[in-house]
Amino acid sequence: MSHLETFKIIRLALLPVIALVTSCQSVGSRGQTQYLEAFNPASLPNSSMYNADQVTYWDGDGLSGSPSITIDLSDQKAYFYKGGTLAGVSALSTGDEKHATKTGNFKIIQKDQWHKSNLYGDFVDASGTAVMANIDVTKDKPPAGTRFEGSKMHHFMRFVGGIGMHEGFLPGYPASHGCVRMPGHMAATFYHNVAIGTPVTVRP
């Protein structure tokens, strides 16, 4: 066996370890919290193990009619309709087992383009570097000299209680604290095509 073949085998064997480490740790810089925020694809290993989004699309720019959204928890997708015609589909990551996304019929009750969490985020130093990442302000105490920086939940569309759709990290399974995370470009697209009062149906 050549040195090149040996190197390829070792590299393939290490990919699961690299993927696990990359997905579980946060980069020590502002804006890289992976729990709720969008992630930087460059931080992930370039391998066939990364399950790129093959679901998301938008064909709604030429459509008219009243908007509505159906969120399907079982297939982790959001379906956007205009006048009853499917305009686009987005991959999602909804609430995990301990923080289920509420099902039912709702309406958009708030839009906040630059929304940040008031519960989850990082404790950062004066320069904005994360000292303690992925914290819950109800459980974690800030280290001396740090301040709380809420996780970015840009293009936030609240539809019930503290739950809404927003830009966020999609690991490929339900992983949020109840919110509906979407790819950044789709969160922006949905945001600009809904209004206060737009119907949102969340089904199991």
Side-chain angles (χ1 to χ4, degrees):
M1 183 180 296
S2 69
H3 290 299
L4 181 58
E5 290 174 329
T6 302
F7 174 75
K8 287 181 179 178
I9 291 171
I10 293 172
R11 191 173 123 191
L12 287 173
L14 287 175
L15 281 176
V17 176
I18 295 171
L20 178 63
V21 169
T22 305
S23 64
C24 293
Q25 293 183 346
S26 293
V27 178
S29 62
R30 192 172 184 175
Q32 288 297 309
T33 301
Q34 293 189 350
Y35 188 75
L36 290 173
E37 295 182 16
F39 67 101
N40 178 4
S43 69
L44 294 175
N46 183 17
S47 78
S48 60
M49 291 182 58
Y50 175 60
N51 183 23
D53 178 9
Q54 301 294 325
V55 171
T56 298
Y57 73 88
W58 179 258
D59 288 333
D61 289 343
L63 297 178
S64 59
S66 299
S68 64
I69 298 170
T70 297
I71 295 168
D72 193 307
L73 301 181
S74 63
D75 68 5
Q76 292 290 282
K77 296 183 183 71
Y79 300 87
F80 195 107
Y81 296 89
K82 284 189 175 182
T85 300
L86 186 62
V89 177
S90 177
L92 303 175
S93 179
T94 58
D96 62 21
E97 291 182 2
K98 294 182 179 180
H99 311 89
T101 301
K102 189 174 182 179
T103 57
N105 297 312
F106 311 103
K107 293 182 179 181
I108 300 293
I109 55 177
Q110 180 196 17
K111 294 175 65 179
D112 183 357
Q113 186 170 359
W114 308 119
H115 188 73
K116 288 187 178 184
S117 175
N118 61 358
L119 293 176
Y120 309 109
D122 300 336
F123 290 132
V124 302
D125 62 19
S127 67
T129 299
V131 174
M132 190 172 170
N134 299 330
I135 61 94
D136 178 340
V137 294
T138 66
K139 300 176 182 178
D140 302 304
K141 293 184 178 180
T146 65
R147 61 179 172 79
F148 173 70
E149 179 75 16
S151 289
K152 295 175 184 175
M153 302 165 75
H154 290 174
H155 295 103
F156 186 73
M157 296 161 276
R158 188 188 308 273
F159 57 83
V160 58
I163 297 174
M165 296 169 280
H166 62 81
E167 175 180 347
F169 175 54
L170 275 66
Y173 52 85
S176 81
H177 274 171
C179 276
V180 178
R181 303 181 197 165
M182 310 172 72
H185 66 289
M186 289 306 288
T189 298
F190 275 42
Y191 183 90
H192 292 299
N193 281 274
V194 301
I196 303 298
T198 294
V200 178
T201 299
V202 183
R203 62 191 186 197

